[in-house]
């Protein structure tokens, strides 16, 4: 039996932050650890947020993709990839990772 995931209650996020989390969660190359680093949300919290914010069909497609995606989980990633973003990616506003 799967454990019930608790809703996000202690975290107050702005609309801009929610949009950024959804964008990061939707990207295949952004691991959940990057979202946790920037926003303090665990993988389970991100799943709850995505389920709340997306249409059911979109959420279902996202979950299927995430489960099969090796880049979303650091444990499944190829060794040698130790960054959260491509070094060619442009600056993103509201991104707490320092820019070069």
């Amino acid at each position: 039996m799967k454990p019930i995931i608790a809703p996000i209650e202690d975290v107050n996020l702005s609309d801009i932050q929610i949009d950024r989390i959804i964008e990061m969660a939707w990207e295949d190359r952004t691991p959940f650890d990057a979202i946790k680093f920037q926003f303090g949300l665990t993988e389970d919290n991100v799943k709850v947020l995505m389920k709340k914010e997306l249409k059911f069909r979109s959420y279902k497609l996202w979950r299927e993709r995430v489960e099969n995606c090796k880049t979303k989980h650091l444990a499944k990633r190829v060794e040698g990839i130790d960054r959260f973003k491509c070094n060619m990616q442009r600056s993103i506003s509201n991104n707490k990772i320092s820019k070069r």
Side-chain angles (χ1 to χ4, degrees):
M1 184 174 198
K2 271 188 155 179
I4 298 172
I5 300 171
I8 307 167
E9 296 172 356
D10 299 334
V11 181
N12 292 323
L13 299 169
S14 69
D15 290 339
I16 294 170
Q17 289 174 318
I18 290 172
D19 287 345
R20 182 66 185 131
I21 292 167
I22 291 171
E23 183 181 351
M24 291 174 75
W26 201 262
E27 295 170 348
D28 290 338
R29 293 194 163 270
T30 306
F32 287 111
D33 292 329
I35 298 170
K36 185 173 183 173
F37 176 77
Q38 291 184 28
F39 299 99
L41 297 178
T42 63
E43 181 178 345
D44 290 339
N45 294 139
V46 172
K47 289 176 185 175
V48 169
L49 179 74
M50 295 291 278
K51 190 170 189 176
K52 179 182 159 196
E53 296 293 326
L54 297 178
K55 295 177 188 173
F56 178 74
R57 181 69 181 146
S58 297
Y59 172 76
K60 191 173 177 181
L61 289 170
W62 174 76
R63 287 287 292 133
E64 287 174 12
R65 229 181 64 235
V66 165
E67 289 195 14
N68 296 321
C69 186
K70 294 181 181 179
T71 56
K72 287 303 273 186
H73 302 88
L74 288 181
K76 294 181 181 179
R77 275 189 141 179
V78 178
E79 286 189 35
I81 299 176
D82 58 353
R83 63 190 184 281
F84 292 145
K85 66 177 185 69
C86 173
N87 44 355
M88 300 299 290
Q89 181 179 355
R90 294 184 180 188
S91 310
I92 299 172
S93 60
N94 299 321
N95 193 345
K96 292 183 183 177
I97 295 177
S98 61
K99 305 295 183 244
R100 292 179 206 161

